Amino acid sequence: MEIKDPINPEYYKKGIEVTKFILSWDLGFCEGNILKYLIRFKYKNGLEDLKKAEKYLQLLIEKEEGSRHGQKIH
């Protein structure tokens, strides 16, 4: 019987572990979540994970657009 690791499932361990990649590039919360959801969508929640990645990408876009105009997102 195979024991599954709920903390670090196999799809997180292909090549470099996603969390280690995010930390090594010193990525922020939104950036890290975008990568996490994109990398796992085929193995976990499909379209739901793509929509989550899209949500964080939209937040990041809004933040960047706000910084160009001197605004902050709350």
Side-chain angles (χ1 to χ4, degrees), residues 9-49:
E10 285 304 310
Y11 54 83
Y12 278 2
K13 299 176 188 173
K14 293 182 180 221
I16 182 171
E17 187 179 328
V18 178
T19 304
K20 290 179 182 177
F21 179 85
I22 291 167
L23 291 172
S24 72
W25 278 84
D26 196 28
L27 299 179
F29 184 78
C30 287
E31 297 162 311
N33 276 329
I34 292 164
L35 286 177
K36 174 183 74 172
Y37 289 124
L38 280 177
I39 289 167
R40 78 178 199 185
F41 90 94
K42 290 180 185 177
Y43 307 100
K44 192 167 184 187
N45 297 320
L47 185 58
E48 180 182 332
D49 279 346

Side-chain angles (χ1 to χ4, degrees), residues 58-74:
Q58 187 58 47
L59 285 171
L60 190 57
I61 290 169
E62 290 170 13
K63 177 181 179 253
E64 289 301 307
E65 288 175 342
S67 355
R68 288 183 183 175
H69 298 98
Q71 303 167 344
K72 289 188 177 182
I73 294 181
H74 302 286

